[in-house]
Amino acid sequence: MKANQLIALLQEHDLLRNTTLQVDDTDFAGLTYDSRQVQANTLFVCKGFNFSVDYLHSAIENGATAYLAEEDYGVSVPVILVKNVRKALSLAAQLYFDFPQNDLFVIGYTGTKGKTTSTYLTTNILSHAFPQQVAMFSTINHIVGPKPQDQYRAHLTTAESFDLFKEMRQAVDNGQKVLVMEVASQAYLLDRVYGLTFDVGIFLNISPDHIGVNEHPNFANYLFCKMQLLLNSRNCIINAETDHFDEIYAAAKVSTDPEHIFTYGFNQTQASLSITSRQATLTDSHFDLTVHDERLADLATTYDVSVPGDFNQSNSAAAILASHLAGAQVADMQYGLAHTRIPGRMESITTKHHGTVYIDYAHDWGSMNALLSFLHTQFPDHRVIAVLGSTGDKGEDRREGFAKALNDYADAAYLTTDDPGHEDPMAIAREIDSHIDHTKVKTTIIAQRETAIAQAITTATNTDLVVLAGKGEDAYQKINGVDTPYASDPVVAQDVIDSLADES
């Protein structure tokens, strides 16, 4: 990476303050923000809320020949001083990896709920249209190529900018032509996608979430960050039924011609696509699309979706629009939607005598409310038993939101551990419990998640629905900064069922 090109890029974005580097004759062999990854002739980036100058000294010892920072630390190597190191890192990563986004058709999803499902649906459609050429960055996993070693578990909904563009470069080198990715609000709050223009940006929905000391200071900031995806997309797709639709549509129009803004929703006569639900069961879903934009005429037909829930008909419509803009045909859409499985999303286990167990990643009011509402609609006379906790160190508002959903649709709840971080999981459970109407919902607090699941299933009757929410197929619990092994909800549930005498 040539220093003069980096300096020019930083100047173009009005980020450069000063530099002591001999720019004209400097060519960096490496770039990193992790001092442990530094090799000879590396530009080291000083970033992070917990950054210590000791990391810089370690980087220099390992071979860093310059550093990028917001502060001059007075060390032995030259500095590139910038106004915003996170934005600067994103630009430097793009340059270092030779702007991989230019060789990809990039689709980005944002929304409080539905990002992962919509990302999977779109990826499945496009994988049928363009076999072995579709990369995916989701909350569950990342796919950067067609081989097994090109798939690995995700650690953040949207990766740090350096890692994001590194994986994009891997995808391009592996022959991928399209990238479908989730874009969290944190991606814009922390400038992880700064300077990236999406070919298609999709706004699914919004409800209060991710508001707290370590996240967004208030809902207005959360909404603002989510709308940034539309401001940085060539084509925009918006759910016509989302809260704050007028604000969101106005934001899209700031940088996108209305001819490139598409909308969808249930029975929406003014939307580009209108959804008419034919059937939504606990195993799959069927719907028709009516078109109000002649450019989309081919999309007016019937679709079957292998993912249950009427809310996933809405996600499917978003996936259809995004896939259409990427060049997929209706046959690809119908096949992809009918053959999608999302790990940990609405998985079910039918027992002989202890009802049906549903496993879902529902992790906030929006997703929990949609899930419980759908189950209640399908089986209004069945008891709903929920097992859940809430994450620590973030999303404090989720705790009251969970209680609200439980009050509306659940009969019993087992409050337990779910990635408590550095907080006391029992204190989190008690906080959820404090918002529950105990005249409607019987609650039990059990610290050990495995025990809570066992008790919920064991005490359920054959007309009960047991919902295990939050963890899905996650094989660990985040406890005190450590990823602690956990068997995952499906495994724990199946082990419990197998141990019951009346199930054998």
Side-chain angles (χ1 to χ4, degrees), residues 96-417:
Y96 182 71
F97 292 110
D98 194 21
F99 300 97
Q101 66 268 36
N102 293 342
D103 295 315
L104 292 165
F105 188 92
V106 185
I107 298 171
Y109 277 98
T110 198
T112 305
K113 65 178 187 290
K115 293 189 297 297
T116 301
T117 297
S118 300
T119 296
Y120 266 83
L121 291 169
T122 307
T123 300
N124 268 29
I125 291 170
L126 294 174
S127 293
H128 191 258
F130 313 112
Q132 299 190 332
Q133 293 183 318
V134 183
M136 180 182 75
F137 299 167
S138 82
T139 302
I140 299 174
N141 65 345
H142 285 201
I143 301 172
V144 297
K147 300 177 182 178
Q149 60 266 33
D150 297 327
Q151 302 185 27
Y152 40 87
R153 179 173 179 78
H155 294 287
L156 296 169
T157 299
T158 309
E160 290 286 357
S161 58
F162 176 85
D163 304 303
L164 177 67
F165 291 105
K166 178 182 178 181
E167 291 183 14
M168 281 190 184
R169 170 48 54 195
Q170 291 173 336
V172 171
D173 291 346
N174 287 332
Q176 309 302 281
K177 302 298 183 184
V178 183
L179 168 63
V180 187
M181 62 180 287
E182 296 183 41
V183 186
S185 58
Q186 294 278 306
Y188 283 102
L189 182 67
L190 301 176
D191 296 308
R192 291 173 182 164
V193 290
Y194 179 77
L196 175 61
T197 299
F198 292 80
D199 292 286
V200 183
I202 304 101
F203 197 107
L204 297 171
N205 48 65
I206 190 162
S207 57
D209 192 26
H210 294 291
I211 298 166
V213 175
N214 298 320
E215 298 183 284
H216 298 279
N218 49 53
F219 179 78
N221 179 261
Y222 178 54
L223 174 60
F224 173 81
C225 287
K226 283 206 166 294
M227 291 192 300
Q228 297 311 298
L229 173 62
L230 302 182
L231 289 164
N232 291 280
S233 295
R234 297 182 179 93
N235 297 278
C236 299
I237 298 171
I238 307 171
N239 181 355
E241 297 176 288
T242 183
D243 291 344
H244 303 276
F245 173 79
D246 291 341
E247 290 176 70
I248 295 163
Y249 192 89
K253 289 198 297 183
V254 169
S255 57
T256 306
D257 188 293
E259 287 291 305
H260 293 277
I261 303 175
F262 303 86
T263 58
Y264 65 94
F266 284 94
N267 306 310
Q268 295 284 318
T269 58
Q270 301 301 312
S272 308
L273 290 184
S274 180
I275 308 163
T276 302
S277 179
R278 296 175 61 203
Q279 186 179 25
T281 73
L282 293 173
T283 56
D284 55 14
S285 177
H286 314 277
F287 65 94
D288 296 323
L289 285 184
T290 303
V291 172
H292 301 120
D293 182 333
E294 61 182 16
R295 296 171 298 171
L296 308 174
D298 290 348
L299 305 183
T301 187
T302 299
Y303 299 87
D304 299 328
V305 190
S306 59
V307 184
D310 48 3
F311 46 90
N312 283 319
Q313 295 177 355
S314 179
N315 293 332
S316 296
I320 287 168
L321 278 169
S323 302
H324 170 77
L325 293 171
Q329 302 301 310
V330 169
D332 301 313
M333 300 168 192
Q334 291 175 319
Y335 182 89
L337 294 177
H339 295 85
T340 295
R341 177 188 174 273
I342 300 133
R345 299 282 176 179
M346 279 296 280
E347 294 187 19
S348 64
I349 304 173
T350 302
T351 72
K352 295 178 181 178
H353 303 286
H354 296 270
T356 304
V357 180
Y358 291 94
I359 298 144
D360 194 85
Y361 276 111
H363 64 282
D364 55 27
W365 173 81
S367 53
M368 179 66 79
N369 187 71
L371 172 60
L372 296 185
S373 172
F374 175 68
L375 293 175
H376 180 75
T377 300
Q378 293 291 307
F379 291 105
D381 298 326
H382 287 50
R383 283 203 322 148
V384 174
I385 304 168
V387 179
L388 73 155
S390 190
T391 55
D393 304 330
K394 63 179 182 179
E396 291 95 335
D397 55 310
R398 295 176 181 176
R399 300 165 194 181
E400 184 174 357
F402 278 139
K404 179 182 175 183
L406 292 170
N407 288 337
D408 288 339
Y409 299 111
D411 298 282
Y414 290 85
L415 305 179
T416 188
T417 300

